[in-house]
């Protein structure tokens, strides 16, 4: 059998010569097998694993106070593994149950210090107690707990640091300046053989099955641009590994890459996703098969028609369904197309049906039609209300009072008295509508468009009840107000409009585009009323702002389409930032090597959805076709044989729009998959859903809910929420340097303390994701860390070098 273990990330922060630090590299992805472990506690040095999945909760290291073998210093218990840290190294027990001993792997640094006493870092508030048997004298009380454990100087100048989550045991190798990473040799006892696979991953063959470590990844962050560094596993002996690094610039610091923490197939076509305050995941879509996980109490437990809409509420780790239900009627086709969730955990679903028997509740706003809005109660086992509406719904949002806001494109709409635009000018037009909290009436319904068939695609709502609408404008008489761009710039532009809470007037409305064509697909609004808009642009003169992360299209030709990411100020008449996001497809300066057909709204690199967190980080979802799509901390790259096949793309943008935190695609197969919607959780992770016509796009994470025909993945924030960069490294004697901490934790505030050892070098308040201090240091190598008060987590060490006299 083959056991795929979840995440084992190996990071190297290294320097070979005076001049700074060298590349980090992420080692294998250890994936725990799907087992049925029994809850319990370890009584011996390599005992039973705790058998409950705790998702993304941090891994806790317990001080050994008698609950384990005397040689063990610390014990870390994950959902499907136990780790035992001794002076000689670390033993990991994976996938153990009452029926199966699982895999036992011992990690020993070879040719280093024979004994390195592990020390605990980052004390936690909780303690652990063991009440075993009937003898109180054998009880273990108040064992202290910690977030990290460090082995110092396992090799000269090289530390080893362990940490993780309940699903992920991770370690760093921190290599100081002048230390040699070639000294690293790890012996993996309990492994019969090591095999480097063709794609670069490493197979560990054990008596209990195979364990696969993903291909290592290395990169550097140089002046805001991530540059890859070649790194490969090097098998040193039967059960020993090292790493082979390519060329790199020793003068720049490094950051950890993001983690693929959820990856799963879902059911049928997945069209929308939403989260509640506890990060539970709500998915909507449609399917022709009764394959949803059977959870007791769902409103409708079987497919009723030829195709039904479905709603599934999953736990935050996607390892269990809290409820699942179908929505449909006999001999009919019903599709779920969008979803939103209110503060009480009620799911609002919209879609289409061709059945007159679709479930409609008494007192509903409209009792006949083909477009529906249905609100489920928080348990998912009853309808709070269900009603038809008169126009197709492309997107939906819900305010704090439970009102449902909708947009789309309509040929005919019953507008309300006092509506901003009571009649349409073209044959069809965007609309904005607000359905009251009990689904019995429209608070307002209005058109929003000109005379040339504009389209509404996305909607968001702020705390004051203002609606933000995004779409595509073809009309030169589209209604504008306080506009950043008051006139149509090309054949089509994107548009962004803000409507007041009563639907009677525009707060602002603006075109957004250059002399080529644009499409607007997604909008989000931050906590100060600034709208973030995404879509695609053909224009070489799309409005971008100085300092944006990508100032030019991937190739300056009108045939090339890139995504755009634009943040407007709260008045709508100016840009906070605006940037391209995309590559040159298969272009080079003299060669055009691609051939493909794209639909009228399709493009090469396209942003289809956007979300924003409390700190202002923006999460963009879409798809990429360019073989040179600009990747940052990427899991995978676009298939070099691309053409018009495209794969899902997700990117995280810093609050100022000047940096990409990560940008990755998932799926190297040529199979043409799109991304329907992206949302951001409260921990800085991005979760997306979409559909794929063939086999899975990427490796599935263990224990995730499995279906067929669509996908969901989560790209979580890296383990380091704070990272340091220096303005000058090395610096001259008595030369001031600015130390900048880049903070990716979703807290909007915090104070960063910079330290060398226990000595404080200064503090600075986080603003737009950064905090900086100016320091003058004496000659030598200075090991500097930064801690943000918002989460208390310590950055990886940054080595600042100051030359002598």
């Amino acid at each position: 059998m083959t056991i795929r273990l979840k995440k084992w990330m190996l990071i190297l922060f290294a320097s070979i010569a005076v001049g700074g630090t060298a590349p980090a590299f992420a080692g294998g992805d250890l994936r725990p097998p799907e087992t049925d472990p029994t809850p319990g506690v370890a009584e011996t040095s390599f005992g039973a694993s705790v058998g409950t999945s705790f998702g993304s909760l941090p891994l806790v290291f317990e001080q050994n106070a008698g609950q384990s073998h005397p040689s063990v210093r610390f014990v870390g218990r994950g959902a499907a593994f136990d780790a035992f840290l001794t002076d000689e190294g670390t033993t990991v027990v994976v996938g153990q149950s009452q029926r199966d001993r699982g895999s036992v792997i011992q990690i020993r640094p070879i040719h280093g210090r024979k004994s390195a006493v592990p020390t605990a870092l980052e004390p936690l508030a909780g303690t652990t107690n063991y009440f075993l048997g009937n003898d109180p004298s054998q009880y273990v009380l108040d064992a202290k707990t910690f977030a990290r454990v460090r082995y110092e100087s396992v090799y000269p100048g090289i530390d080893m640091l362990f940490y993780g989550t309940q699903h992920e045991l991770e370690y760093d190798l921190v290599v100081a300046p002048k230390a040699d990473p070639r000294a690293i040799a790890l012996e993996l006892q309990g492994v019969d053989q090591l095999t480097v696979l063709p794609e670069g991953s490493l197979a560990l063959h054990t008596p209990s099955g195979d364990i696969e470590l993903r291909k290592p990844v290395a990169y550097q962050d140089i002046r805001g641009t991530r540059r890859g560094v070649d790194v490969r596993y090097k098998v040193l002996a039967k059960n020993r590994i090292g790493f082979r690094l390519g060329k790199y610039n020793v003068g720049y610091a490094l950051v950890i890459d993001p983690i693929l923490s959820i990856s799963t197939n879902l059911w049928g076509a997945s069209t929308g996703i939403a989260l509640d305050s506890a990060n539970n995941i709500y998915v909507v879509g449609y399917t022709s098969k009764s394959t949803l996980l059977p959870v007791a109490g769902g409103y409708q437990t079987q497919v009723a028609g030829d195709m039904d809409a479905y709603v599934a509420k999953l736990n935050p780790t996607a390892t269990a369904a809290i409820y699942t239900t179908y929505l449909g009627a006999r001999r009919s086709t019903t599709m779920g197309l969008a979803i939103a969730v209110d503060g009480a955990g009620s799911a609002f679903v919209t879609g289409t049906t061709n059945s007159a028997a679709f479930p409609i509740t008494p007192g509903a706003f409209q009792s006949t039609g083909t477009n529906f809005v249905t609100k489920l109660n928080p348990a998912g086992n009853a309808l709070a209300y269900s009603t038809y509406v008169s126009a197709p719904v492309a997107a939906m949002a819900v305010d704090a009072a439970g009102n449902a806001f909708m947009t789309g494109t309509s040929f005919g709409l019953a507008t309300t008295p006092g509506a901003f635009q009571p009649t349409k000018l073209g044959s069809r037009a965007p609309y904005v509508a607000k359905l009251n909290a009990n689904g019995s009436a429209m608070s307002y319904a209005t058109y929003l468009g000109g005379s040339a068939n504009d389209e509404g695609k996305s909607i968001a709502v702020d705390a004051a009840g203002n609606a933000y609408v995004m779409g595509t404008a073809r009309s030169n008489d589209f209604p504008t107000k306080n506009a950043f761009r008051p006139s149509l710039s090309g054949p089509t532009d994107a548009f962004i409009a803000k409507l007041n809470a009563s639907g009677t007037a525009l707060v602002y409305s603006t075109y957004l585009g250059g002399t080529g064509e644009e499409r607007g697909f997604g909008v989000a609004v931050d906590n100060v009323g600034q709208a973030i808009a995404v879509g695609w642009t053909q224009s070489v003169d799309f409005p971008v702002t100085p300092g944006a992360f990508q100032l030019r299209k991937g190739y300056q030709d009108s045939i090339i389409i890139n995504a755009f990411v634009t943040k407007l100020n709260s008045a709508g008449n100016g840009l906070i930032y605006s940037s391209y996001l995309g590559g040159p497809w298969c272009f080079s300066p003299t060669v055009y090597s691609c051939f493909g057909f794209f639909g009228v709204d399709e493009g090469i690199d396209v942003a289809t959805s956007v979300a924003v967190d409390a700190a202002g980080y923006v999460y963009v979802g879409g798809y990429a076709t360019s073989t040179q799509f600009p990747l940052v901390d990427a899991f995978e790259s676009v298939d070099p044989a691309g053409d018009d096949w495209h794969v899902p793309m997700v990117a995280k943008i810093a609050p100022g729009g000047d940096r990409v935190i990560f940008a990755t695609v998932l799926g190297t197969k040529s199979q043409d998959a799109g991304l329907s919607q992206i949302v951001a959780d409260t921990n800085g992770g991005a979760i997306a859903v979409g559909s794929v016509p063939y086999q899975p796009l990427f490796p599935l994470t263990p224990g995730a809910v499995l279906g067929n025909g669509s996908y969901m993945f989560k790209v979580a924030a890296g383990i380091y929420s704070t990272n340091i960069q220096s303005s000058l490294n090395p610096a001259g004697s008595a030369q001031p340097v600015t130390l900048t901490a880049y903070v990716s934790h979703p807290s909007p505030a915090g104070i960063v303390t910079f330290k060398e050892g226990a000595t404080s070098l200064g503090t600075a308040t986080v603003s737009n994701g950064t905090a900086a201090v100016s320091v003058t240091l004496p000659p030598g190598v200075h090991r500097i860390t930064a801690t943000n008060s918002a989460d208390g987590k310590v950055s990886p060490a940054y080595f600042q070098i100051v030359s002598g006299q």
Side-chain angles (χ1 to χ4, degrees), residues 211-420:
I211 297 170
E212 182 180 328
L213 280 71
R214 278 193 184 175
K215 178 183 177 181
V217 176
Y219 61 88
Q220 292 184 286
D221 191 345
I222 299 178
R223 298 186 184 95
T225 300
R226 300 290 168 83
R227 299 183 182 179
V229 175
D230 184 45
V231 59
R232 303 176 186 180
Y233 290 115
K234 180 169 60 176
V235 177
L236 305 175
K238 176 183 177 182
N239 60 348
R240 296 181 184 179
I241 60 170
F243 300 91
R244 181 181 292 113
L245 286 168
K247 293 182 180 180
Y248 53 87
N249 188 323
V250 298
Y252 290 89
L254 310 155
V255 295
I256 200 166
D257 64 347
I259 300 166
L260 183 63
S261 62
I262 296 174
S263 175
T264 181
N265 283 347
L266 292 176
W267 308 275
S270 298
T271 54
I273 186 170
L275 301 178
D276 63 19
S277 59
N279 287 329
N280 293 305
I281 303 166
Y282 299 73
V283 180
V284 69
Y286 49 92
T287 181
S288 59
K289 299 177 181 179
S290 289
T291 54
L292 295 181
L293 292 180
V295 180
Y299 168 70
Q300 181 182 324
T301 59
Q302 297 290 323
V303 167
D306 300 325
M307 182 174 289
D308 279 7
Y310 74 79
V311 184
K313 179 181 178 180
L314 311 177
N315 68 3
T317 58
T319 54
I322 298 170
Y323 72 70
T324 59
T325 187
Y326 300 90
L327 293 171
R330 292 185 61 192
R331 294 188 296 273
S332 65
T333 296
T334 303
M335 292 189 234
L337 300 177
I339 191 167
V341 177
D342 67 12
S346 294
F348 295 69
V349 182
T350 185
T352 64
T353 183
N354 62 4
S355 173
F358 184 82
I360 299 298
T361 51
F365 161 65
Q366 190 171 308
S367 58
T368 60
T370 59
N371 309 289
F372 66 85
V373 175
T374 297
K375 178 182 177 182
L376 293 167
N377 69 355
N381 57 11
L383 303 180
Y385 69 72
S386 186
T387 182
Y388 288 107
V389 293
S390 60
V393 182
M396 183 168 54
V398 176
D399 68 10
N403 300 297
F405 293 73
M406 297 164 280
T407 192
T409 307
S410 176
F411 289 92
L413 180 75
T415 57
T416 51
F420 161 68

Side-chain angles (χ1 to χ4, degrees), residues 147-169:
R148 301 185 184 217
V149 175
R150 180 173 65 200
Y151 290 86
E152 189 170 354
S153 297
V154 291
Y155 299 99
I158 301 176
D159 296 348
M160 199 172 192
L161 182 69
F162 283 86
Y163 52 89
T165 71
Q166 289 293 320
H167 277 319
E168 302 159 0
L169 176 63

